[in-house]
Amino acid sequence: MEVEFLSQKIDSKVGGRSLVSFDSASDAKLDRSNPIGGALRKLVGVKINYSTDASGKVEKVAGVQELQAKVLAGANPQAAQILTGLVSEDNLKKAISLGAVLPEKPVKIGDKWPAQREVTLGKLGTLVFDMSYVFKGWEDHDKRRCALLEFTGGITNRPPAESSPLTMTVENGKTSGKSWFDPALGMVIDSVSEIGR
């Protein structure tokens, strides 16, 4: 299976303070004032090849090292720490493996279910999202008939397996948002979320 990054938009805030903000539709000249903007822009147009088993579970992602080299070229050390984790093979697998958050049985509108997701951030450790999802109904989104999933949950973190000079502690983290799942593609085509405390 081949997946292409067509665009990117990220706006991450903690306690009202912007951590990461980027929109690939913005003028590339603005990337000069954004420590990771140039690196994130390099993802647009990138095609990633996934190998799956018969059930659709991702087994391998081809070209991860080449992708990392492209994205990290010229990135400052702090940006490189964050980006290395974001474009790791583990996170690229999770990006399209929605099975972790889909219910194990058929659901009807209004049904809820729990799910847990993890995002590895390299030497910063791992963010753990304990979520509650609800199927809100069917909605046309980006010219596709999608299942609208709303979610809320808490966020904690685990330190990295190896000792690191960088530390991160998440206390009372919370998130909420919406995802649009296209059953024809078997994946989420769009997701928006807010993270705070």
Side-chain angles (χ1 to χ4, degrees):
M1 174 172 60
E2 185 179 76
V3 174
E4 180 180 1
F5 287 89
L6 298 176
S7 63
Q8 273 229 76
K9 185 174 182 180
I10 298 172
D11 192 12
S12 177
K13 295 179 181 177
V14 174
R17 182 174 154 244
S18 180
L19 289 180
V20 178
S21 184
F22 174 74
D23 185 350
S24 60
S26 66
D27 189 334
K29 292 176 184 175
L30 298 174
D31 293 348
R32 282 180 247 159
S33 61
N34 185 338
I36 64 171
L40 290 174
R41 191 173 299 279
K42 292 176 188 174
L43 286 173
V44 177
V46 166
K47 295 179 181 179
I48 302 174
N49 291 297
Y50 291 87
S51 298
T52 66
D53 63 15
S55 68
K57 180 182 176 182
V58 176
E59 294 183 326
K60 185 173 181 176
V61 185
V64 174
Q65 291 180 338
E66 294 84 356
L67 172 62
Q68 288 178 339
K70 178 178 180 178
V71 171
L72 297 175
N76 67 50
Q78 284 183 318
Q81 291 282 350
I82 296 169
L83 292 164
T84 299
L86 289 176
V87 294
S88 68
E89 181 170 8
D90 188 45
N91 280 342
L92 290 170
K93 283 181 179 178
K94 290 174 185 173
I96 68 162
S97 297
L98 190 67
V101 300
L102 288 178
E104 296 180 355
K105 59 184 181 181
V107 294
K108 61 184 183 300
I109 294 172
D111 282 354
K112 298 179 181 180
W113 64 93
Q116 188 179 82
R117 288 194 64 116
E118 296 184 356
V119 177
T120 305
L121 298 175
K123 293 183 179 180
L124 289 176
T126 300
L127 290 176
V128 180
F129 295 79
D130 285 304
M131 313 294 288
S132 175
Y133 280 79
V134 60
F135 174 36
K136 298 298 287 186
W138 295 97
E139 186 174 288
D140 289 329
H141 188 78
D142 198 22
K143 300 180 183 177
R144 295 182 177 277
R145 188 71 169 159
C146 297
L148 173 60
L149 310 177
E150 290 189 356
F151 56 86
T152 58
I155 309 169
T156 56
N157 73 297
R158 283 198 315 268
E162 300 176 10
S163 62
S164 170
L166 301 172
T167 60
M168 174 178 71
T169 303
V170 178
E171 296 178 357
N172 302 317
K174 298 193 181 306
T175 185
S176 62
K178 300 177 181 181
S179 292
W180 289 266
F181 175 72
D182 181 355
L185 289 176
M187 64 185 292
V188 167
I189 62 164
D190 194 6
S191 188
V192 293
S193 64
E194 292 185 6
I195 296 176
R197 36 175 258 181

